[in-house]
């Protein structure tokens, strides 16, 4: 098993760069067990959302793990139908209750859609931040124009923007924006929902390093400045395999090969996506 101690290079501010995603992990006992397994393997970053319908199970997994709550970087997201000012406040409290915690380390606006109103929504996030119920304010699926607006409205800094990102969707513009404005990028679907496994360039690099294609894709993300990744995994095998990406060092030739991939493929593309 890979080592569990996180180095400074494996952190973005106080956020561990490799976390556990829990999207679609809706079987209660299985979800809790996945979280417990990940934490006891060394993960310290757990990501969930109101829309995932598993916050209670995630909280049970955190409580069951032999890891102090203060050592876990816990993130959740406010769904689009709850983004009116008062709904942000009330449903954030509901999320804390379900998770069984007094605060979350990061709270995201899940999408700039539906009930999202920049002034009303973000003022509620500021209030939660000031009250100590959230340690950091985040946004998800924001384009540069939404980020500009949010940064202007918020008193709290925009800590992170969580977006789909993987070798088939490298998000270079958002990575550059994050570097310029000190906004961390958190990559969801970092394995393109399994599509990266069939990419010849990824397969070649995996064979070269005696690694899995998942580890190659994750290592590439983790070597990018200002980027974290939250691969979804439910089984112990996949949780541990993803964790092993921390020990994979890609050389310049590997990185160039991945950057040469010319396929651009978005896996998450709802009608309300801000790029549509």
């Amino acid at each position: 098993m890979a080592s569990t101690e996180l180095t400074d290079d494996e952190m973005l501010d106080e956020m561990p760069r490799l976390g556990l995603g829990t999207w679609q992990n809706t079987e209660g006992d299985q979800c809790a067990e996945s979280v417990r397994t990940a934490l006891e393997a060394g993960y310290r970053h757990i990501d969930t959302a109101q829309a995932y319908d598993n916050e209670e199970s995630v909280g049970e997994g955190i409580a069951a793990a032999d890891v102090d709550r203060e050592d876990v970087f816990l993130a959740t997201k406010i769904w689009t139908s709850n983004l009116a000012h008062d709904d942000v406040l009330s449903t954030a409290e509901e999320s804390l209750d379900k998770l069984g915690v007094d605060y979350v380390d990061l709270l995201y606006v899940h999408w700039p859609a539906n009930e999202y109103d920049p002034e009303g929504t973000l003022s509620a996030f500021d209030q939660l931040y000031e009250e100590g119920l959230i340690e950091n304010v985040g946004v998800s699926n924001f384009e540069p124009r939404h980020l500009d607006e949010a940064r202007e409205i918020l008193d709290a800094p925009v800590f992170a923007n969580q977006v789909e990102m993987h070798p088939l969707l490298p998000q270079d513009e958002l990575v550059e924006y994050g570097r310029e404005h000190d906004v961390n990028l958190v990559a969801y679907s970092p394995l393109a929902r399994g599509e990266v496994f069939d990419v010849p360039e990824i397969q070649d690099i995996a064979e070269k390093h005696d690694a899995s294609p998942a580890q190659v894709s994750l290592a590439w993300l983790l070597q990018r400045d200002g980027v974290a990744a939250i691969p979804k995994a439910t089984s112990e095998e996949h949780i541990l395999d993803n964790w092993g990406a921390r020990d994979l060092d890609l050389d310049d030739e590997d990185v160039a090969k991945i950057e040469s991939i010319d396929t651009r493929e978005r896996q998450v593309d709802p009608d309300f996506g801000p790029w549509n």
Side-chain angles (χ1 to χ4, degrees), residues 9 17-18 217-224 227-229 245-246:
D9 288 343
R17 296 185 68 172
L18 184 60
S217 296
L218 293 172
W220 173 72
L221 286 165
L222 298 177
Q223 287 181 211
R224 304 185 82 187
V227 176
R246 299 164 55 245

Side-chain angles (χ1 to χ4, degrees), residues 77 100 115 118 130 155 209 233 261:
K77 310 174 193 75
E115 298 302 314
E130 290 164 6
D155 292 327
H209 290 279
I261 298 170

Side-chain angles (χ1 to χ4, degrees), residues 1 13 24 33 40 56 59-60 65 112 170 224-225 245:
M1 184 187 301
D13 299 320
Q24 287 190 331
E33 180 62 15
E40 295 190 352
E56 188 171 350
E60 290 171 359
R224 304 185 82 187
D225 289 341

Side-chain angles (χ1 to χ4, degrees), residues 113-158:
N114 197 353
E115 298 302 314
Y116 177 67
D117 168 64
E119 292 283 354
T121 300
L122 298 175
S123 64
F125 272 71
D126 267 332
Q127 184 174 332
L128 293 168
Y129 179 79
E130 290 164 6
E131 293 174 353
L133 299 179
I134 66 177
E135 293 288 314
N136 295 283
V137 173
V139 297
S140 186
N141 301 296
F142 274 40
E143 298 282 275
R145 68 184 186 276
H146 305 99
L147 288 164
D148 285 340
E149 184 176 46
R151 289 174 51 244
E152 184 173 331
I153 292 170
L154 280 163
D155 292 327
V158 178

Side-chain angles (χ1 to χ4, degrees), residues 1-265:
M1 184 187 301
S3 62
T4 60
E5 184 106 12
L6 295 178
T7 67
D8 289 344
D9 288 343
E10 293 174 308
M11 304 290 288
L12 288 178
D13 299 320
E14 70 268 30
M15 177 174 64
R17 296 185 68 172
L18 184 60
L20 178 73
T22 63
W23 177 70
Q24 287 190 331
N25 196 348
T26 54
E27 295 294 329
D29 290 344
Q30 181 188 60
C31 179
E33 180 62 15
S34 299
V35 171
R36 185 197 67 79
T37 297
L39 289 173
E40 295 190 352
Y43 286 75
R44 294 294 182 267
H45 178 177
I46 305 295
D47 182 271
T48 183
Q50 293 176 345
Y52 300 172
D53 197 26
N54 64 8
E55 288 175 316
E56 188 171 350
S57 298
V58 167
E60 290 171 359
I62 292 171
D66 189 21
V67 176
D68 290 340
R69 161 66 186 105
E70 291 72 24
D71 293 331
V72 179
F73 188 93
L74 176 59
T76 192
K77 310 174 193 75
I78 303 288
W79 184 239
T80 62
S81 59
N82 298 330
L83 289 173
H85 180 277
D86 290 350
D87 292 338
V88 170
L89 299 177
S90 62
T91 65
E93 295 262 20
E94 290 171 8
S95 289
L96 293 179
D97 288 343
K98 289 178 181 177
L99 289 161
V101 297
D102 297 325
Y103 70 96
V104 290
D105 299 85
L106 178 56
L107 185 69
Y108 293 99
V109 176
H110 206 150
W111 293 84
N114 197 353
E115 298 302 314
Y116 177 67
D117 168 64
E119 292 283 354
T121 300
L122 298 175
S123 64
F125 272 71
D126 267 332
Q127 184 174 332
L128 293 168
Y129 179 79
E130 290 164 6
E131 293 174 353
L133 299 179
I134 66 177
E135 293 288 314
N136 295 283
V137 173
V139 297
S140 186
N141 301 296
F142 274 40
E143 298 282 275
R145 68 184 186 276
H146 305 99
L147 288 164
D148 285 340
E149 184 176 46
R151 289 174 51 244
E152 184 173 331
I153 292 170
L154 280 163
D155 292 327
V158 178
F159 179 83
N161 182 23
Q162 185 178 131
V163 297
E164 179 182 349
M165 189 190 313
H166 43 71
L168 305 180
L169 191 69
Q171 298 281 24
D172 293 333
E173 182 183 13
L174 287 174
V175 171
E176 184 59 33
Y177 185 101
R179 290 171 183 160
E180 288 181 11
H181 300 289
D182 199 26
V183 178
N184 298 307
L185 268 287
V186 178
Y188 73 74
S189 296
L191 308 179
R193 298 189 176 177
E195 292 298 314
V196 297
F197 301 158
D198 299 322
V199 176
E201 292 88 345
I202 301 293
Q203 293 174 336
D204 289 346
I205 297 168
E207 184 175 352
K208 169 183 170 181
H209 290 279
D210 192 24
S212 69
Q215 290 172 342
V216 170
S217 296
L218 293 172
W220 173 72
L221 286 165
L222 298 177
Q223 287 181 211
R224 304 185 82 187
D225 289 341
V227 176
I230 49 165
K232 180 190 76 170
T234 54
S235 71
E236 182 177 17
E237 177 185 2
H238 289 148
I239 288 168
L240 296 180
D241 184 71
N242 292 342
W243 190 240
R246 299 164 55 245
D247 294 332
L248 176 57
D249 291 320
L250 302 179
D251 59 33
D252 291 344
E253 180 183 14
D254 300 328
V255 173
K257 182 174 283 192
I258 292 172
E259 291 178 349
S260 75
I261 298 170
D262 58 8
T263 302
R264 292 292 175 263
E265 196 172 291

